[in-house]
């Protein structure tokens, strides 16, 4: 029997700033402004979120992970139409000591707790418009089959052996800790208790015979995989963190527990006295979803993008690829990592009582409003702070005032009495800047707007590829501001439809602004699907005209026909997004108390 020293925990991630990759601009600029997405076609893509523990109700951090995956997936579907091209999974992680203990504390059977909390996750995701195609629960029979098969493959390849494990274990974090990562804290009765230095959660000393995975054999293969795939882990600082971890010793990993201690899990095939370690169990969910061990899973693997929080980077970037390589499979294509939400400057925790309930937020700010807030303000490279006033301020200024105001300005009866997409006049706005003439009305800033708008879809696509959805939204928001500036500059309310010279220019100003709105709405679909639908319907854009592949901005400017010109706008359906500071009296009340 082999004796294993305490497994060394790889250091926790330090989140740093990620550098922006430059957008290369549209390839077809000049013959219209369609984006080139050719490289994105053909391949199937499979997006995953972590599967969430069911020991407590979902919070905004869980919703954030699901939203990031949802936006990436929706953007992808708009680029590559066809329902079979993308798959998107989420689910709940229901085994392990953490759940076993939570159920015991609640005085319920583990499966009862799992059923209740898993349903809460499913309901939240449905309410938030998470467009997942699959939801997995690790207590399902199909998952047990997949995990036990995966185990047998590792065993048959000589990668599992029995050994004595001795060291600290943190049930809350479901991980092993080296002595250096353990500290002492006064417990409830004043005596000193060992806790994890990073999470503050209690740890206990474990000494037992387990199955051990030969993780140490994979240090160099993992280094080679990462060096030849510099985009495998995004944002970049996390990639370097993992490479740094791999510079250190990589001890073998204990992958089972004594069943007498951990009964809530999947038994080791052929040895009921041992239960499979919850992380091995959980990670295999990504294969279960796509039908593993049936051969069909190969059409989805390894073109997978895992979206995860920084807290579980080590499990996804070291343990998981090593297990996959061990089982003869390829490591995941991409791992997108995001940092954490804090609340009013503090870590969110049940004990601090500051956990933000996402369902309350969806009620208060609307589904689209809250989706927009989390994705616009959440920056994967560093932790972001949540507080209510921040949400109200952002949504009022960007969705209600800037975007809603722009729509009003182009569709108000007084300015656009015919309720149509007016004609664009190439004499008022010639495609060549700097031309002079009595009917030329466009100014240098207007050309700057057209050029910013023409590059926007490609820029947004690049930001999505680099997992910078917040940057994509920032770019859209900046163009919305620029468009409002354009309307303000030309003050269509001062122009007169009765005067032929004014009318051509007035129509052109409205045409350009409506074209900008159409592009904004198309690009916002992955983030604010309902609001985008409302806006596109108001503009008279049909369901088949909303894809990213066909997103031509201002074709008339480039000498092409515009399918929208002269078209009737859709029916008026009220405010695009209501201001919250007037409608949310609860905030004022909250301040007073
Ligand atoms: O770790 N801010 O599940 P979990 C942002 N079951 N995101 C947060 C967050 C915060 N404050 N807190 C949590 C597990 N998250 C395992 C995963 S996967 C095979 C198994 C998000 O319920 C973030 O995605 O503790 C983080 O990685 C995940 O929830 C952890 O969820």
């Amino acid at each position: 029997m082999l004796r294993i020293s305490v497994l060394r925990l790889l250091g926790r991630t330090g989140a740093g700033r990620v550098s922006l990759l430059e957008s290369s601009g549209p390839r077809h600029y000049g013959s219209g402004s369609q984006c080139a997405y050719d490289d994105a076609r053909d391949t199937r893509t499979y997006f995953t979120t972590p599967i969430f523990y069911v020991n407590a109700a979902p919070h905004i951090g869980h919703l954030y992970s699901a939203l990031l995956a949802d936006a990436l997936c929706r953007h992808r579907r708009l680029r590559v139409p066809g329902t079979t091209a993308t798959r998107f999974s989420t689910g709940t992680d229901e085994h392990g000591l953490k759940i076993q203990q939570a159920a015991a504390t609640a005085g319920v059977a583990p499966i009862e707790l799992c059923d209740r909390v898993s349903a809460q996750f499913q309901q939240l995701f449905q309410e938030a418009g998470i467009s997942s195609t699959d939801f997995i629960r690790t207590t399902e029979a199909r998952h047990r089959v997949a995990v036990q098969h995966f185990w047998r493959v590792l065993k048959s390849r000589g990668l599992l052996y029995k050994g004595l494990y001795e060291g600290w274990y943190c049930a809350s974090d479901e991980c092993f800790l080296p002595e250096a990562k353990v500290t002492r804290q006064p417990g409830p009765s004043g005596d000193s208790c060992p806790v994890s230095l990073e999470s503050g959660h209690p740890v206990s000393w474990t000494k037992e015979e387990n199955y051990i995975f030969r993780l140490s054999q994979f240090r160099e293969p993992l280094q080679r995989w990462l060096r030849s795939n510099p985009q495998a882990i995004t944002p970049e600082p996390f990639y370097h963190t993992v490479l740094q971890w791999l510079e250190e010793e990589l001890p073998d990993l204990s992958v089972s527990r004594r069943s007498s201690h951990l009964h809530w899990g999947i038994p080791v095939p052929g040895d009921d006295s041992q239960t499979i370690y919850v992380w091995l169990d959980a990670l295999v969910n990504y294969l279960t979803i796509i039908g593993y061990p049936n051969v069909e899973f190969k059409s989805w693997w390894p073109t997978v993008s895992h979206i995860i929080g920084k807290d579980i980077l080590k499990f996804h970037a070291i343990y998981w690829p090593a297990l996959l390589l061990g089982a003869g499979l390829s490591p995941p294509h991409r791992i997108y990592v995001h940092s954490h939400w804090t609340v009013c400057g503090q870590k969110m925790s049940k004990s601090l009582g500051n956990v933000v309930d996402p369902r309350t937020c969806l009620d208060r700010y609307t589904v689209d409003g809250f989706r927009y807030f989390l994705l616009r303000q959440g920056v994967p490279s560093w932790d972001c702070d949540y507080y209510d006033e921040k949400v109200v301020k952002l949504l009022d200024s960007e969705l209600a005032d800037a975007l809603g105001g722009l729509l009003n300005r182009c569709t108000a009866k007084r300015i656009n009495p015919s309720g149509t997409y007016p004609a664009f006049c190439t004499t008022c706005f010639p495609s060549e800047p700097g031309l002079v003439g009595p009917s030329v009305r466009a100014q240098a800033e207007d050309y700057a707007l057209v050029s910013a708008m023409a590059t926007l879809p490609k820029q947004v696509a690049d930001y999505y590829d680099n997992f910078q959805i917040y940057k994509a939204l920032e770019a859209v928001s900046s163009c919305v501001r620029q468009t409002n500036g354009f309307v303000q500059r030309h003050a269509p309310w001062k122009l007169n439809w009765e005067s032929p010279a004014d009318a051509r220019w007035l129509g052109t100003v409205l045409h350009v602004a409506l074209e900008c709105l159409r592009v904004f709405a198309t690009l916002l679909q992955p983030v604010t699907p309902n609001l985008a639908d409302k806006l596109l319907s108001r503009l008279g854009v049909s369901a088949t005209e909303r894809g990213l592949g066909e997103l031509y901005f201002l074709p008339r400017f480039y000498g092409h026909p515009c399918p929208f010109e002269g078209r009737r706008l859709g029916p008026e359906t009220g405010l695009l997004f209501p201001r919250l500071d007037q409608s949310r009296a609860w905030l004022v009340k909250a301040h007073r108390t």
Side-chain angles (χ1 to χ4, degrees):
M1 185 191 299
L2 276 163
R3 193 179 166 84
I4 303 285
S5 63
V6 173
L7 300 176
R8 186 186 303 176
L9 183 83
L10 296 154
R12 198 184 162 105
T13 309
R17 208 186 163 94
V18 62
S19 62
L20 250 188
L21 295 181
E22 291 297 326
S23 154
S24 53
R27 288 178 220 162
H28 298 328
Y29 190 68
S31 59
S33 59
Q34 187 187 20
C35 281
Y37 295 124
D38 307 342
D39 54 339
R41 298 190 191 278
D42 309 328
T43 47
R44 287 183 155 200
T45 311
Y46 169 32
F47 296 94
T48 72
T49 74
I51 50 170
F52 303 104
Y53 287 130
V54 288
N55 61 306
H59 59 59
I60 57 167
H62 301 128
L63 178 60
Y64 179 57
S65 297
L67 282 176
L68 286 167
D70 186 54
L72 287 181
C73 188
R74 283 177 184 264
H75 188 262
R76 177 85 192 175
R77 288 185 194 128
L78 289 171
R79 271 162 97 163
V80 188
T83 45
T84 55
T86 54
R87 198 147 182 181
F88 169 18
S89 76
T90 185
T92 41
D93 189 356
E94 306 189 359
H95 288 138
L97 204 54
K98 184 183 174 96
I99 308 305
Q100 184 177 303
Q101 289 174 350
T105 307
V108 295
I111 194 65
E112 243 180 86
L113 179 70
C114 296
D115 286 347
R116 177 157 47 82
V117 182
S118 182
Q120 290 176 3
F121 274 97
Q122 290 180 57
Q123 190 170 353
L124 169 68
F125 291 165
Q126 198 212 333
E127 284 174 15
I130 303 300
S131 61
S132 49
T133 56
D134 296 85
F135 191 97
I136 187 166
R137 299 183 55 185
T138 53
T139 45
E140 289 173 53
R142 60 170 173 156
H143 183 60
R144 187 188 177 110
V145 170
V147 172
Q148 292 192 328
H149 183 89
F150 192 84
W151 180 280
R152 281 192 208 96
V153 173
L154 293 179
K155 189 100 206 309
S156 69
R157 295 168 73 104
L159 293 168
L160 300 177
Y161 61 92
K162 264 196 154 177
L164 185 71
Y165 174 72
E166 190 171 357
W168 295 106
Y169 192 75
C170 177
S172 297
D173 304 338
E174 293 282 19
C175 70
F176 307 99
L177 292 165
E179 192 63 51
K181 296 276 180 184
V182 173
T183 183
R184 314 260 151 191
Q185 254 179 19
S189 50
D191 47 343
S192 146
C193 299
V195 294
S196 156
L197 199 58
E198 280 158 8
S199 67
H201 295 140
V203 297
S204 56
W205 188 256
T206 309
K207 182 178 180 183
E208 58 181 55
E209 194 188 24
N210 296 148
Y211 287 92
I212 315 281
F213 171 63
R214 296 189 190 279
L215 181 63
S216 56
Q217 286 188 5
F218 291 90
R219 202 173 125 206
E220 281 169 22
L222 290 175
Q223 285 174 331
R224 278 200 298 278
W225 161 60
L226 286 177
R227 294 229 162 88
S228 50
N229 293 281
Q231 295 228 299
I233 302 170
T234 307
E236 209 182 328
F238 293 113
Y239 169 80
H240 293 296
T241 302
V242 176
L243 272 181
Q244 189 54 45
W245 287 339
L246 289 169
E247 290 297 309
E248 297 164 20
E249 192 201 345
L250 189 62
D252 285 351
L253 177 70
S254 166
V255 285
S256 71
R257 293 281 88 82
R258 234 179 30 235
S259 309
S260 54
H261 178 56
L262 172 68
H263 59 81
W264 188 239
I266 299 176
V268 165
D271 184 356
D272 280 358
S273 72
Q274 295 276 318
T275 303
I276 296 176
Y277 175 38
V278 66
W279 266 103
L280 193 157
D281 171 339
L283 288 163
V284 171
N285 94 82
Y286 301 130
L287 293 176
T288 308
I289 291 278
I290 51 174
Y292 180 88
N294 294 331
V295 70
E296 74 198 50
F297 88 91
K298 291 200 169 148
S299 63
W300 293 99
W301 198 268
T303 54
V304 61
S305 297
H306 293 313
I307 289 87
I308 59 162
K310 65 179 183 181
D311 51 320
I312 54 176
L313 178 59
K314 173 191 52 174
F315 300 96
H316 284 80
I318 294 191
Y319 295 176
W320 182 224
L323 288 165
L324 285 163
L325 288 170
L329 298 171
S330 301
H333 183 50
R334 299 199 71 165
I335 301 174
Y336 292 114
V337 191
H338 66 79
S339 299
H340 282 176
W341 282 91
T342 56
V343 174
C344 301
Q346 281 186 308
K347 191 176 163 175
M348 227 185 318
S349 86
K350 243 186 353 188
S351 50
L352 286 173
N354 64 351
V355 174
V356 180
D357 172 13
R359 288 179 68 192
T360 309
C361 296
L362 294 170
D363 277 352
R364 277 182 187 166
Y365 306 120
T366 74
V367 168
D368 287 70
F370 199 55
R371 287 175 64 106
Y372 185 81
F373 170 78
L374 286 180
L375 292 172
R376 169 83 168 90
Q377 290 288 312
V379 178
S381 307
W382 56 85
D383 288 354
C384 300
D385 197 35
Y386 176 90
Y387 51 96
D388 292 320
E389 291 84 345
K390 198 173 181 176
V391 190
V392 174
K393 213 167 149 197
L394 179 87
L395 299 185
D396 278 352
S397 99
E398 295 196 355
L399 294 186
D401 295 347
L403 194 63
L406 181 61
L407 177 67
N408 272 346
R409 287 168 138 188
C410 306
T411 53
K413 265 247 149 1
R414 211 164 46 83
I415 294 174
N416 189 345
S418 62
T420 55
Y421 223 96
F424 177 86
C425 167
T426 49
T427 323
C428 302
F429 203 147
S431 57
E432 210 170 306
L435 285 185
V436 282
S439 48
V440 175
R441 308 284 280 266
Q443 302 169 6
E445 293 102 312
D446 305 334
Y447 288 93
L449 170 69
V450 170
S451 144
M453 285 301 303
T455 52
L456 186 64
K458 174 72 167 80
Q459 204 184 4
V460 163
D462 287 343
Y463 285 137
Y464 270 83
D465 285 343
N466 292 319
F467 197 44
Q468 293 171 312
I469 299 172
Y470 71 105
K471 281 267 172 202
L473 293 174
E474 196 173 287
V476 170
S477 172
S478 152
C479 282
V480 173
R481 269 198 308 278
Q482 230 176 316
T483 313
N484 270 315
F486 167 81
V487 174
Q488 193 66 34
R489 198 158 52 245
H490 299 299
W493 47 90
K494 289 190 186 153
L495 298 171
N496 185 356
W497 282 110
E498 306 305 321
S499 139
D502 264 11
R504 275 198 298 278
W505 177 233
L506 173 51
T508 303
V509 170
L510 293 183
H511 181 104
V512 171
L514 287 168
E515 275 291 276
C516 293
L517 274 167
R518 184 174 63 81
V519 170
F520 300 144
T522 307
L523 294 175
L524 283 173
Q525 291 176 98
V527 174
T528 54
N530 307 301
L531 178 140
D533 173 48
K534 188 170 176 178
L535 182 46
L536 287 165
S537 300
R538 178 71 175 116
L539 299 178
V541 179
S542 72
T544 54
E545 295 168 321
R546 298 178 178 190
L548 289 171
E550 308 76 48
L551 189 57
Y552 289 93
F553 169 68
L554 207 58
R556 293 278 284 109
F557 179 81
Y558 302 95
H560 299 293
C562 170
F564 303 97
E565 200 170 68
R567 198 184 280 191
R568 280 209 70 74
L569 296 178
E572 151 80 65
T573 47
L575 279 183
L576 184 66
F577 192 87
R579 278 187 70 83
L580 293 161
D581 63 356
Q582 291 157 3
S583 56
R584 294 294 180 261
W586 58 266
L587 248 190
V588 181
K589 261 192 244 144
H591 275 308
R592 289 206 195 105
T593 49

